[in-house]
Amino acid sequence: MLKSYIHSFLNSKEEGFSGNILVVDQGETIYKESFGKANYEWDIPNTAITKFRIGSVTKIFTTIAILMLVEEQKLQLHNTVDNFIPNFPKGNQIMIEHLLTHTSGIGNITDQPDFLLKSYQLQSPDDLINWIISCSFKSIPGKEFNYSNSGYIVLGKIIEMTSGLSYEEFLKQKILQPLSMLNTGLDYNVAIQKYKASGYELEKNNIYHASFINMSNTYSAGGLFSTVEDLQLLDDAIKNNCLLSKNITTQMLSSGRFGHGYGWNITKTKKNNTLIFQHGGINGFTSSYLRLIESDATIIVLSNISTLLTSTVANQIVSYIENRD
């Protein structure tokens, strides 16, 4: 039933869909299918092991890394940024919790007029921090919700300074290797990654290569690639408290006053189910990772054509699951 429902929905869309969809229901994978091409020039199809850039779904990994350091008692959620980056504006007012919940007020680099030009250039984490420091604040720390890639870049730098490891190496040692997530990593433009999809955009029914971005600009806010199967491994680990204790996992997934947990959006569906999710979008790619808590269902959708958004597909599957229940 779900298979025919998804196929009927995708066939009704003029844009077409290219990517992978995975649905887990009460611990059982009930749907896993690939669509379109990983590379349209070479006519190479997407498969279950195709790697996609996941954009802001990266923020879930960054969140878990920070909370692991909290559990190791190497930092606390009320620690302020000035403990790690002494020259940061209002650093004595911005807590780690503010960064996790997008309430720091820090200006978002992706909203800056020079972002397009700088996004072509190689940036180190320190370059990114200095760029963020130059941005104007959007609000007083802790007072408003303003989605911020900048805040998650700052969290990446805090992970490095606290652990003594690079962000990439911390993820490898603490998350990716323990969970056997062998097809997930920090993306580099110059690196050769087997089975990685190319990113595309659709315009007037013609497919074009996505515009270039130097992935160093995305770092701990959006710099990872992954597969649906690897993200399922992460999902299992979160559910089974393999990376974090049950107490801090509950804290991570609890809605704050602005409807956001740590690294996750949290809302109620029309049928009053708790839906936690993170969507991502980066030149030529979109990604969605959703969980229906009461239904115990997980939906992971990754795409390499940024027209039919994964969020549209994923939310349609949420509706199906709710109506079925």
Side-chain angles (χ1 to χ4, degrees):
M1 288 290 290
L2 177 59
K3 181 175 182 177
S4 60
Y5 180 84
I6 291 174
H7 286 210
S8 175
F9 173 73
L10 295 180
N11 288 336
S12 72
K13 296 295 180 181
E14 292 182 8
E15 308 98 311
F17 179 73
S18 181
N20 288 341
I21 302 173
L22 183 145
V23 182
V24 180
D25 183 28
Q26 299 181 38
E28 178 186 355
T29 301
I30 61 169
Y31 184 89
K32 182 168 67 175
E33 200 151 337
S34 302
F35 301 84
K37 310 290 184 183
N39 187 287
Y40 279 82
E41 289 170 303
W42 287 93
D43 202 31
I44 298 170
N46 282 315
T47 70
I49 61 170
T50 301
K51 301 170 183 174
F52 298 81
R53 289 176 176 173
I54 61 172
S56 286
V57 173
T58 299
K59 292 179 173 68
I60 293 171
F61 291 82
T62 301
T63 295
I64 290 171
I66 285 288
L67 296 179
M68 290 176 105
L69 290 168
V70 169
E71 294 213 293
E72 292 173 8
Q73 298 185 339
K74 292 182 177 178
L75 53 78
Q76 297 177 311
L77 292 172
H78 64 257
N79 287 156
T80 51
V81 171
D82 61 334
N83 288 299
F84 311 95
I85 308 171
N87 63 331
F88 202 93
K90 301 184 182 179
N92 63 337
Q93 301 174 42
I94 302 168
M95 296 188 294
I96 288 174
E97 186 170 49
H98 293 148
L99 298 171
L100 288 169
T101 56
H102 299 283
T103 57
S104 68
I106 296 170
N108 194 358
I109 59 170
T110 54
D111 294 337
Q112 304 307 308
D114 58 351
F115 176 74
L116 183 61
L117 177 62
K118 286 193 174 183
S119 72
Y120 298 142
Q121 303 165 3
L122 181 68
Q123 310 277 352
S124 70
D126 285 337
D127 291 334
L128 293 174
I129 294 297
N130 288 331
W131 185 7
I132 293 167
I133 286 173
S134 73
C135 295
S136 299
F137 272 73
K138 292 182 71 85
S139 60
I140 298 170
K143 296 297 183 183
E144 295 180 13
F145 177 90
N146 288 291
Y147 189 87
S148 177
N149 290 297
S150 297
Y152 272 76
I153 288 169
V154 174
L155 287 171
K157 185 62 178 175
I158 289 172
I159 290 165
E160 294 193 346
M161 297 187 71
T162 304
S163 68
L165 301 171
S166 69
Y167 174 74
E168 179 180 29
E169 191 59 32
F170 186 94
L171 293 191
K172 282 182 180 178
Q173 291 188 24
K174 300 289 189 174
I175 300 175
L176 304 181
Q177 291 173 353
L179 298 183
S180 297
M181 295 178 66
L182 306 179
N183 293 310
T184 301
L186 194 62
D187 202 3
Y188 296 94
N189 298 84
V190 296
I192 302 298
Q193 292 289 346
K194 291 184 70 175
Y195 312 121
K196 190 172 77 175
S198 299
Y200 299 95
E201 294 165 356
L202 189 68
E203 185 177 340
K204 295 180 179 178
N205 294 321
N206 292 314
I207 294 175
Y208 298 95
H209 283 290
S211 56
F212 177 80
I213 182 171
N214 193 302
M215 290 299 291
S216 64
N217 288 273
T218 62
Y219 185 45
S220 50
L224 293 180
F225 62 82
S226 192
T227 67
V228 289
E229 292 181 341
D230 267 19
L231 291 176
Q232 184 180 5
L233 291 173
L234 179 68
D235 188 60
D236 290 341
I238 293 171
K239 289 178 181 177
N240 296 315
N241 305 306
C242 298
L243 297 173
L244 301 169
S245 69
K246 183 177 181 180
N247 180 57
I248 203 159
T249 298
T250 299
Q251 195 173 350
M252 175 175 71
L253 301 178
S254 297
S255 179
R257 60 195 176 104
F258 295 106
H260 205 280
Y262 299 157
W264 298 82
N265 298 287
I266 302 174
T267 188
K268 288 285 188 178
T269 67
K270 291 180 179 179
K271 295 199 172 183
N272 207 36
N273 286 318
T274 305
L275 179 66
I276 64 170
F277 63 95
Q278 181 62 264
H279 300 303
I282 186 167
N283 308 44
F285 295 86
T286 63
S287 57
S288 295
Y289 174 7
L290 296 78
R291 288 176 59 195
L292 273 168
I293 299 301
E294 286 80 10
S295 298
D296 189 18
T298 297
I299 301 151
I300 299 167
V301 188
L302 305 179
S303 176
N304 62 320
I305 297 184
S306 59
T307 44
L308 178 53
L309 300 179
T310 53
S311 56
T312 302
V313 178
N315 287 327
Q316 195 69 24
I317 297 171
V318 167
S319 297
Y320 173 88
I321 292 172
E322 283 206 301
N323 290 326
R324 177 205 65 183
D325 293 345

